[in-house]
């Protein structure tokens, strides 16, 4: 594999060793996908099985006004921030197919390494959440037919982890998801449609619900702040450059089309099921909506299994930057079906997913992982850094007012990130005191 070396234009006063960054070529496919396929990939993230939890993790702590306004505003702001990031894909006369590559070009080697660590921590936390979600869905399916508690949540998380490993072996890179996108879309339609219809039926029959925001005093405030972190987690990936790397030329124009699709058509199902779930069950709705709905066992079983399989497919999207790094570092090339490459994926990707699965079973607090991920990495990667990068990249073309606007975004989202981190950490500590490790939630 070849390497590209460039010097950060913003670090010219530093020595070459500090400012230079070596960028490896990629072992994965680049510029292979249509804007529509990329739009579907982005929409899969928004409407993943996580969407079944937003009634409980966003609407309950924020209520009708805060929840609806927050989700709508977060949609608009996330589209704006993601578009900024997409427009930075081609800076300095070259493409930047990884987030850390762009950071290295604009800031130098130190930022390259820091952003690398931050992004991979973000994706790792997201993947932990997907394993928890898939394990919870599988447990819910099991409980439909057997209520003996012989198998507990950690067992189902382990089964989900094995399924994720098998899928990672079978799917060499992000562009290879093409046929699986159809299955993922089908699974997504099934669990969202079933959740929506059964929630409507329950809501029509139910007595008046309590929409009062639960909690009091300090705990209520922390829950609200944590829910704000969930708002931004719901729409953003922290890996726009990596997804954009797969899109065909013109990469900026096509990525903007994909983002417009994601934040218009793509977000409608998530918004709909979030609002209807809260309407139907009020403040008692759980962080997994299918636990609240009532209906025939076979219908609920289809929904649970759909959520299980869709979470496994979507996890692969967020694990793909890690896989790309490992494949590139160790020089994976040739046919994906070559025994050497299959064995490599089994050992290396399997090891990564074993660690992910273990931590998922250790602390299976899904709502807190959403808040923690949003605070630690999603907000900085999606809102803070893109605005600052845009100032650096376009500094000679921006007016003072435009620069002030971007700095305002940096300060506001910096404060939100810190507050959400403290809230998520506090709520996680409280839950670890309430529940033991490897809890059966």
């Amino acid at each position: 594999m070849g390497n590209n070396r460039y010097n950060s234009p913003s670090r010219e006063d530093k020595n070459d060793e500090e400012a230079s960054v070596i960028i490896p070529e990629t072992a994965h496919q680049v510029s292979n996908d249509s804007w529509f396929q990329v739009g579907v990939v982005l929409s899969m993230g928004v409407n993943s099985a996580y969407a079944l939890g937003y009634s409980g993790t966003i609407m309950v702590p924020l209520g009708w006004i805060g929840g609806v306004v927050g989700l709508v505003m977060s949609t608009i702001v996330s589209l704006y921030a993601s578009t900024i990031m997409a427009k930075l894909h081609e800076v300095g006369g070259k493409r930047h197919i990884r987030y850390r590559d762009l950071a290295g070009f604009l800031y130098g080697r130190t930022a390259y390494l820091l952003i690398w660590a931050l992004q991979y921590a973000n994706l790792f936390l997201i993947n932990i959440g997907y394993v928890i979600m898939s394990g919870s869905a599988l447990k819910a399916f099991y409980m439909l037919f057997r209520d003996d508690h012989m198998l507990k949540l950690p067992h189902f998380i382990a089964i989900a982890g094995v399924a994720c490993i098998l899928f990672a072996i079978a799917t060499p890179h992000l562009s290879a998801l093409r046929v699986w996108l159809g299955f993922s879309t089908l699974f997504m339609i099934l669990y969202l449609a079933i959740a929506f219809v059964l929630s409507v039926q329950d809501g029509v029959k139910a007595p008046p619900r309590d929409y009062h925001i639960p909690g009091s005093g300090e705990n209520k405030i922390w829950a609200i702040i944590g829910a704000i972190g969930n708002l931004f987690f719901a729409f953003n990936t922290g890996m726009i450059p990596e997804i954009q790397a797969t899109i065909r030329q013109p990469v900026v124009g096509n990525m903007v089309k994909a983002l417009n699709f994601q934040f218009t058509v793509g977000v409608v199902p998530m918004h709909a099921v979030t609002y209807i779930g809260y309407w139907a069950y009020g403040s008692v709705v759980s962080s997994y909506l299918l636990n609240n709905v009532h209906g025939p066992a076979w219908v609920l079983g289809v929904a649970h299994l759909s959520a299980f399989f869709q979470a496994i497919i979507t996890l692969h999207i967020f694990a793909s930057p890690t896989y790309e790094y490992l494949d590139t570092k160790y020089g994976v090339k040739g046919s994906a079906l070559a025994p050497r490459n299959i064995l490599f994926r089994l050992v290396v990707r399997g090891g990564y997913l074993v660690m992910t699965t273990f931590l998922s079973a250790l602390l299976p607090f899904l709502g807190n992982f959403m808040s923690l991920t949003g605070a630690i990495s999603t907000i900085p990667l999606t809102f803070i850094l893109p605005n600052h990068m845009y100032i650096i990249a376009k500094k000679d073309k921006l007016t003072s007012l435009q620069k002030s606007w971007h700095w305002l975004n940096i300060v506001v989202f910096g404060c939100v990130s810190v507050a959400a981190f403290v809230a998520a950490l506090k709520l996680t500590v409280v839950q670890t005191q309430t529940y033991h490790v490897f809890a059966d939630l």
Side-chain angles (χ1 to χ4, degrees):
M1 292 291 170
N3 294 309
N4 294 327
R5 180 187 292 271
Y6 54 67
N7 293 324
S8 167
S10 61
R11 300 281 303 274
E12 291 177 355
D13 56 326
K14 303 294 183 180
N15 58 54
D16 290 340
E17 182 180 357
E18 174 69 12
S20 64
V21 181
I22 298 176
I23 303 300
E25 300 293 342
T26 180
H28 288 194
Q29 292 185 7
V30 175
S31 297
N32 192 60
D33 303 334
S34 68
W35 71 263
F36 181 74
Q37 180 174 333
V38 172
V40 171
V41 169
L42 292 166
S43 299
M44 278 173 54
V46 174
N47 295 290
S48 70
Y50 272 125
L52 296 171
Y54 297 146
S55 297
T57 60
I58 292 176
M59 297 299 294
V60 170
L62 298 180
W64 273 120
I65 296 177
V68 173
V69 172
L71 278 167
V72 172
M73 291 302 298
S74 181
T75 303
I76 296 170
V77 172
S78 297
L79 171 59
Y80 170 74
S82 297
T83 301
I84 287 178
M85 197 70 209
K87 290 180 178 179
L88 293 173
H89 194 76
E90 293 180 320
V91 173
K94 65 178 298 163
R95 291 185 68 177
H96 305 279
I97 64 172
R98 306 175 186 91
Y99 203 129
R100 64 184 186 273
D101 296 355
L102 178 61
F105 180 80
L106 293 174
Y107 302 122
R109 180 170 175 76
T110 300
Y112 175 88
L113 296 175
L114 287 174
I115 298 305
W116 192 356
L118 181 64
Q119 185 190 34
Y120 278 62
N122 172 63
L123 299 175
F124 185 61
L125 287 171
I126 290 174
N127 288 334
I128 286 176
Y130 274 117
V131 176
I132 295 172
M133 176 60 72
S134 58
S136 299
L138 194 60
K139 179 190 173 184
F141 175 80
Y142 175 84
M143 296 292 288
L144 285 174
F145 305 101
R146 294 189 63 176
D147 195 14
D148 54 14
H149 296 283
M150 291 291 292
L151 293 178
K152 302 186 183 300
L153 180 58
H155 299 115
F156 294 105
I157 287 176
I159 295 171
V162 171
C164 290
I165 292 172
L166 294 175
F167 190 79
I169 295 170
T171 313
H173 47 72
L174 193 57
S175 292
L177 276 175
R178 186 173 288 110
V179 66
W180 291 106
L181 292 180
F183 285 106
S184 180
T185 302
L186 174 62
F187 295 142
M188 179 189 72
I189 292 172
L190 284 172
Y191 65 70
L192 289 179
I194 291 171
F196 186 91
V197 171
L198 294 183
S199 294
V200 169
Q201 290 181 356
D202 287 348
V204 169
K205 298 174 184 177
R209 273 77 71 194
D210 177 16
Y211 298 111
H212 178 74
I213 297 176
S216 60
E218 182 182 348
N219 289 335
K220 186 174 182 178
I221 293 173
W222 288 122
I224 291 172
I225 295 173
I228 293 173
N230 292 339
L231 282 172
F232 298 108
F233 171 86
F235 297 102
N236 301 290
T237 63
M239 52 177 285
I240 289 293
E242 286 80 3
I243 295 177
Q244 191 169 359
T246 69
I247 208 165
R248 297 171 190 156
Q249 294 283 359
V251 292
V252 174
N254 281 336
M255 190 63 184
V256 171
K257 289 180 182 178
L259 289 169
N260 287 335
F261 177 86
Q262 175 196 7
F263 287 102
T264 52
V265 177
V267 299
V268 170
M270 186 274 279
H271 276 267
V273 79
T274 299
Y275 301 145
I276 207 67
Y278 185 58
W279 167 80
Y281 307 105
S283 59
V284 298
V285 66
S286 76
S287 59
Y288 181 59
L289 179 58
L290 292 175
N291 283 337
N292 292 94
V293 301
H294 300 87
W298 72 269
V299 175
L300 293 174
V302 169
H304 292 313
L305 287 181
S306 296
F308 169 74
F309 287 119
Q310 205 272 352
I312 291 171
I313 296 172
T314 308
L315 179 146
H316 189 80
I317 296 174
F318 293 96
S320 61
T322 303
Y323 299 160
E324 186 274 336
Y325 164 71
L326 293 170
D327 292 352
T328 300
K329 178 177 176 63
Y330 292 104
V332 173
K333 55 186 176 181
S335 171
L337 298 178
R340 174 182 178 274
N341 292 339
I342 293 175
L343 181 62
F344 177 85
R345 293 198 295 274
L346 171 63
V347 174
V348 177
R349 296 184 183 186
Y352 170 79
L353 289 169
V354 165
M355 181 171 58
T356 304
T357 303
F358 174 78
L359 291 176
S360 302
L362 184 71
L363 296 170
F365 310 129
L366 183 62
N368 293 351
F369 267 108
M370 291 183 193
S371 301
L372 200 60
T373 306
I376 292 177
S377 48
T378 305
I379 293 176
L381 288 170
T382 306
F383 300 100
I384 299 173
L385 278 167
N387 276 282
H388 192 264
M389 287 177 167
Y390 201 76
I391 292 173
I392 298 298
K394 308 287 186 179
K395 58 184 177 180
D396 296 331
K397 300 179 181 179
L398 298 178
T399 65
S400 297
L401 182 61
Q402 289 173 321
K403 290 180 181 178
S404 298
W405 164 251
H406 289 292
W407 275 113
L408 177 64
N409 278 276
I410 292 168
V411 172
V412 169
F413 284 108
C415 293
V416 171
S417 181
V418 171
F421 171 73
V422 174
L425 201 60
K426 180 176 177 61
L427 293 172
T428 302
V429 170
V430 169
Q431 285 203 316
T432 54
Q433 293 172 346
T434 304
Y435 301 98
H436 56 78
V437 293
F438 299 106
D440 183 31
L441 301 181

